[in-house]
């Protein structure tokens, strides 16, 4: 068992905010950008329907919308998003988050143009690129490696689950071996690697979920951070049609919070927790409705951590991984 590290600033887990303050010594804001990408699960390469849970916006409903592929479109999005942030709070450096669809699914020349434009903006402190491990060929990793010499580059990989039956059902479209090889190649190139897991996929028990969590922990420090995502049922997805036809059990807020805390207990204490739950767009969220009140959910997390007197890494046993 491990004691709570001091760098968490008295939080029970190593949050993204704590990490950013430690690395950049100031408040950093993330702005979501749309590079106008698609996905091999949508363009017919692997399929046309996308992953079963993925919305029409490619999980990027909060992103600024691409204004075209011409020069200046990324800069325009950055400026627009920056002004929106500044209306709510003081300005600061930003992370350019390429969120919608698969953000390395394009030619090398196009990726170089888009990412170079973003990383060259004076207000951008880092890039965060959401993508798939089967869309990171060696030359694309070398591009990201070069950009990483200018400013930090994070690569976010949507693993979602380690279980092959679930992966096939959600139409993930790549193998666990592919994930392992790509994650290792990214880390070898010196990039920051973040993994996504979805909690609550139909047919997965708490034991199944914890197996995925243990797997991620096993890869530390090759994986630097993790996003734990509550399964959302969003309008326009195939998952929504399945749910309406045959409703399956979703987590209550209390069940989900206890599960996430248990997950964190078994993760390395130095792994950055980028997300505890996520919040689907209210305009297309079908369920669970309790996730709409993000502040209430985060407050409930804080209370439950205190009630359980626990913290990230409390049950982490690196010698057994």
């Amino acid at each position: 068992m491990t004691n709570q590290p001091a760098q968490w600033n008295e939080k029970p887990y190593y949050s993204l905010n704590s990490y950013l303050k430690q690395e950049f010594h100031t408040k950093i804001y993330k702005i979501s950008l749309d590079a106008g990408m698609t996905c091999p699960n949508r363009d017919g390469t692997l399929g046309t329907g996308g992953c079963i849970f993925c919305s029409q916006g490619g999980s990027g409903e909060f992103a600024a919308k691409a204004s075209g592929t011409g020069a200046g479109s990324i800069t325009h999005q950055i400026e627009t998003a920056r002004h929106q942030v500044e209306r709510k709070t003081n300005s600061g450096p930003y992370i350019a988050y390429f969120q919608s669809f698969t953000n390395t699914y394009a030619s090398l020349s196009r990726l170089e143009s888009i990412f170079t434009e973003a990383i060259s903006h004076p207000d951008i402190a880092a890039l965060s690129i959401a993508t798939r491990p089967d869309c990171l060929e060696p030359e694309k990793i070398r591009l990201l490696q070069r950009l990483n010499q200018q400013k930090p580059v994070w690569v976010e990989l949507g693993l979602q689950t380690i279980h092959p039956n679930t992966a096939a059902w959600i139409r993930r479209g790549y193998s666990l071996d592919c994930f392992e090889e790509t994650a290792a190649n990214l880390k070898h190139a010196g990039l920051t690697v973040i993994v996504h897991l979805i909690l609550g996929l139909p047919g997965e028990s708490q034991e199944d979920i914890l197996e995925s969590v243990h797997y991620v922990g096993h890869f530390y420090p090759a994986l630097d951070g993790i996003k734990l995502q509550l399964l959302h049922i969003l309008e326009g997805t195939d998952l929504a049609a399945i749910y309406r036809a045959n409703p399956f059990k979703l987590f209550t807020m209390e069940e989900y919070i206890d599960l996430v805390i248990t997950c964190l207990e078994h993760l390395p204490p130095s792994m950055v927790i980028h997300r505890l739950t996520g919040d689907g767009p209210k305009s297309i969220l079908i369920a669970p409705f309790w996730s709409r009140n993000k502040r209430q959910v985060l407050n409930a997390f804080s209370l439950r951590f205190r009630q359980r007197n626990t913290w990230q890494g409390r049950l982490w046993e690196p010698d057994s991984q």
Side-chain angles (χ1 to χ4, degrees):
M1 295 185 183
T2 60
N3 293 323
Q4 195 174 15
Q7 76 265 25
W8 295 355
N9 300 321
E10 299 182 358
K11 289 182 177 293
Y13 60 95
Y14 192 14
S15 70
L16 176 59
N17 279 340
S18 295
Y19 169 78
L20 292 174
K21 288 178 182 177
Q22 180 183 341
E23 290 296 309
F24 295 98
H25 310 292
T26 187
K27 179 72 174 177
I28 302 287
Y29 299 89
K30 184 181 286 188
I31 53 177
S32 295
L33 306 174
D34 181 356
M37 302 287 179
T38 183
C39 175
N41 258 2
R42 288 180 178 269
D43 71 355
T45 301
L46 295 175
T48 57
C51 292
I52 199 169
F53 52 80
C54 192
S55 67
Q56 294 301 310
S59 300
E61 280 78 15
F62 297 113
K65 296 306 174 188
S67 57
T69 57
S73 62
I74 295 298
T75 299
H76 175 74
Q77 289 183 59
I78 292 172
E79 291 297 324
T80 299
R82 182 173 65 85
H83 290 313
Q84 290 174 345
V85 171
E86 289 176 353
R87 285 202 296 265
K88 300 177 182 178
T89 184
N90 294 330
S91 62
Y94 302 93
I95 297 168
Y97 181 24
F98 289 91
Q99 181 179 18
S100 305
F101 298 104
T102 301
N103 289 283
T104 56
Y105 192 50
S107 68
L108 186 65
S109 60
R110 184 181 175 200
L111 295 178
E112 184 169 15
S113 174
I114 290 168
F115 296 150
T116 299
E117 183 177 351
I119 208 167
S120 299
H121 194 286
D123 291 330
I124 295 300
L127 299 187
S128 186
I129 300 166
T131 188
R132 298 166 53 94
D134 55 348
C135 294
L136 280 162
E137 297 87 345
E139 63 271 18
K140 294 177 182 177
I141 294 178
R142 288 193 292 270
L143 167 63
L144 299 181
Q145 185 179 29
R146 292 196 301 273
L147 294 171
N148 193 47
Q149 303 306 308
Q150 301 178 46
K151 295 175 183 177
V153 175
W154 305 351
V155 181
E156 303 189 10
L157 300 176
L159 176 61
Q160 321 309 2
T161 179
I162 66 166
H163 301 288
N165 289 341
T166 310
W169 187 77
I170 65 175
R171 302 196 297 257
R172 190 179 67 191
Y174 65 83
S175 69
L176 202 56
D177 287 344
C178 176
F179 172 84
E180 293 174 359
E181 180 180 0
T182 301
N185 290 340
L186 290 167
K187 196 60 182 177
H188 181 73
L191 297 158
T192 297
V193 187
I194 302 156
V195 63
H196 292 222
L197 291 181
I198 294 180
L199 311 188
L201 290 167
E204 289 205 346
S205 65
Q206 178 166 322
E207 290 71 24
D208 293 328
I209 293 169
L210 288 174
E211 285 178 6
S212 292
V213 169
H214 289 149
Y215 172 90
V216 170
H218 173 76
F219 265 85
Y220 180 82
L223 299 174
D224 301 273
I226 187 170
K227 284 187 172 181
L228 298 173
Q229 174 69 53
L230 168 69
L231 179 70
H232 288 110
I233 313 296
L234 300 179
E235 196 68 63
T237 63
D238 288 348
L239 186 63
I242 294 169
Y243 181 73
R244 284 189 169 118
N246 187 21
F248 48 84
K249 185 182 184 306
L250 298 173
F251 287 120
T252 66
M253 184 173 74
E254 293 75 16
E255 290 170 338
Y256 183 78
I257 288 172
D258 266 321
L259 172 60
V260 169
I261 291 175
T262 299
C263 290
L264 266 56
E265 288 178 322
H266 288 87
L267 284 173
S270 296
M271 178 173 279
V272 181
I273 309 303
H274 286 246
R275 178 183 291 164
L276 291 177
T277 173
D279 49 342
K282 294 179 181 179
S283 60
I284 59 172
L285 179 65
I286 296 172
F289 281 117
W290 59 261
S291 66
R292 293 162 61 99
N293 192 332
K294 188 173 183 179
R295 182 179 295 276
Q296 179 186 38
V297 174
L298 293 178
N299 288 341
F301 264 109
S302 298
L303 175 61
R304 191 64 180 139
F305 267 113
R306 292 195 299 271
Q307 290 173 337
R308 287 178 54 168
N309 188 29
T310 194
W311 56 88
Q312 178 186 342
R314 186 177 71 85
L315 301 177
W316 166 244
E317 297 178 358
D319 292 340
S320 67
Q321 302 302 309

